[in-house]
Amino acid sequence: MKKSFRSWSMATLLLAGIVTVTACGKNANENSSPSQEASKKPTASQAAVSEKLYIPIICKGFQHQFWQSVKIGAEKAASEFGAEISFEGPETEEQVDKQLEMLQAALGKKPSAIGFAALDSKASIPLLQQAKDKNIPIIAFDSGVDSDIPVTTASTDNKKAAALAADKMAELIGGKGEIAMVVHDQTSRTGVDRRDGFKEQIESKYPEIKIVDLQYSGDPLKATDLTKAILQSHPNLKGIFGSNEGAAIGVANGVKESNKTGKIIAIGFDSGKAQLDAIRGGVLSGSITQNPIGIGYETVKAAVAAIKGEKVEKNVDTGFFWYDKNNIDSEEIKAVIYE
């Protein structure tokens, strides 16, 4: 009897517990406050994260410090405009195929837009056309392409910047004599524009200056060897121009290793620690600097505007400056050079 009573009591308690739990559960659902209901919906920030813009930025490579400064500018704009970016590029600026593979991979990620600095102004066009067909805005930066597919190009006016370098060269060698050029490549828009901008300015404005040699390499070691060979072949040379960071470092090293420091006017493009040291040490007479942080910033800013359907100018001129040992420490120049 006692056993039956205990069994009945336990069954009763169990049934009561089930009823209580069921009731509590029902009440909890029925009596949820508005704030509790709201907590079940995505918050504004969660919605923003889920809708966040993704913009892959593909640079020319990480061979030069220049691109690290571009990356800083891109990240700054991404933070300001609520976008997510990736920043990538091949190891060297000669790896056109690898850069195209990166562009193909970026397309496969269904991005909101793509920032692209072409190593080859023509080779990327079929992939850029694919992006256009998918309504993915392309923002060209640093180097443009031979196509109107990019919504805009954020870059230095490289022809004008190189023309300024030519003017400085003419001034420093006294308006006459033999000079040479080491240009970083002949496939990118920057290589072509800087070569043509410098060359055309010399040929049209300074008839007593003759360009006696023109070689190509943006690799510092190769540019060093080219410079030494140029100096050996042209004993009367008065000046030499290197068209980017790698070419300019090569020119500086070639001049120094040929014991021509102070005897040859060497002018560069871009900055970076090796170039700054060469200018302070008198090996380079000066250089053109772009605004790499500004290039990165304007690229992402333009991408976000294009995604939103806002008007974007076809070209965004990010500016350029001449600097030498006289103004290298000025606030204006310190803001646009990098180490």
Side-chain angles (χ1 to χ4, degrees):
M1 182 67 185
K2 286 182 180 177
K3 184 177 179 181
S4 300
F5 178 76
R6 281 199 302 270
S7 299
W8 179 85
S9 298
M10 289 180 66
T12 302
L13 288 171
L14 180 60
L15 177 62
I18 292 170
V19 170
T20 303
V21 168
T22 303
C24 288
K26 185 178 181 182
N27 288 342
N29 287 335
E30 288 178 347
N31 298 331
S32 295
S33 66
S35 61
Q36 287 173 316
E37 284 298 308
S39 68
K40 297 171 187 172
K41 299 176 182 177
T43 63
S45 60
Q46 286 171 329
V49 168
S50 65
E51 296 170 2
K52 203 162 192 176
L53 308 177
Y54 170 56
I55 307 167
I57 307 294
I58 303 172
C59 72
K60 287 182 174 179
F62 291 100
Q63 189 176 12
H64 303 128
Q65 293 171 327
F66 174 84
W67 298 107
Q68 297 297 340
S69 296
V70 175
K71 181 171 182 279
I72 290 171
E75 290 173 338
K76 183 174 186 294
S79 176
E80 284 185 23
F81 296 108
E84 178 187 351
I85 67 166
S86 57
F87 197 96
E88 56 189 309
E91 286 81 11
T92 75
E93 297 187 9
E94 296 173 352
Q95 295 175 296
V96 176
D97 289 345
K98 189 165 185 179
Q99 191 193 43
L100 294 177
E101 289 173 8
M102 290 178 168
L103 179 57
Q104 178 79 67
L107 281 169
K109 295 176 183 175
K110 299 179 180 178
S112 310
I114 296 176
F116 187 64
L119 281 172
D120 189 310
S121 61
K122 295 182 175 65
S124 60
I125 290 175
L127 289 174
L128 298 184
Q129 184 62 49
Q130 288 184 28
K132 184 179 180 181
D133 294 342
K134 295 176 181 177
N135 294 319
I136 299 171
I138 296 294
I139 310 300
F141 68 100
D142 182 68
S143 283
V145 293
D146 294 340
S147 163
D148 61 359
I149 292 175
V151 175
T152 188
T153 301
S155 69
T156 304
D157 186 328
N158 285 293
K159 288 194 79 171
K160 285 185 179 177
L164 175 59
D167 288 336
K168 292 294 181 181
M169 175 67 79
E171 176 186 335
L172 290 168
I173 67 170
K176 59 183 178 181
E178 296 181 353
I179 63 172
M181 303 168 66
V182 178
V183 176
H184 53 283
D185 66 56
Q186 48 188 330
T187 58
S188 72
R189 200 65 257 166
T190 58
V192 172
D193 285 349
R194 290 177 199 172
R195 177 195 66 196
D196 293 350
F198 186 92
K199 193 167 176 286
E200 290 169 7
Q201 186 78 345
I202 290 292
E203 291 173 348
S204 64
K205 196 172 174 182
Y206 305 102
E208 294 187 74
I209 298 177
K210 184 178 181 182
I211 298 172
V212 295
D213 211 337
L214 168 57
Q215 301 292 334
Y216 292 95
S217 182
D219 179 90
L221 293 177
K222 292 179 184 174
T224 298
D225 291 339
L226 288 173
T227 299
K228 290 161 72 174
I230 290 170
L231 292 172
Q232 194 167 17
S233 299
H234 304 281
N236 296 320
L237 202 74
K238 297 181 75 174
I240 186 166
F241 169 59
S243 67
N244 79 342
E245 183 180 341
I249 291 170
V251 166
N253 290 340
V255 167
K256 194 173 180 179
E257 292 175 16
S258 300
N259 295 317
K260 293 285 188 179
T261 301
K263 300 173 185 175
I264 293 288
I265 298 298
I267 287 176
F269 208 108
D270 295 322
S271 60
K273 188 176 187 310
Q275 274 202 79
L276 302 182
D277 289 345
I279 288 174
R280 290 192 171 102
V283 182
L284 286 179
S285 298
S287 185
I288 300 291
T289 182
Q290 306 178 78
N291 181 0
I293 292 177
I295 290 173
Y297 184 91
E298 293 295 339
T299 298
V300 175
K301 180 182 175 183
V304 172
I307 293 165
K308 293 180 178 177
E310 299 171 358
K311 184 180 179 183
V312 180
E313 296 296 329
K314 194 63 181 172
N315 292 287
V316 179
D317 186 351
T318 51
F320 59 86
F321 305 83
W322 166 260
Y323 70 101
D324 56 24
K325 62 183 179 183
N326 295 316
N327 67 349
I328 193 170
D329 294 316
S330 69
E331 292 303 317
E332 179 184 48
I333 296 301
K334 282 197 293 187
V336 291
I337 58 177
Y338 51 91
E339 295 192 9

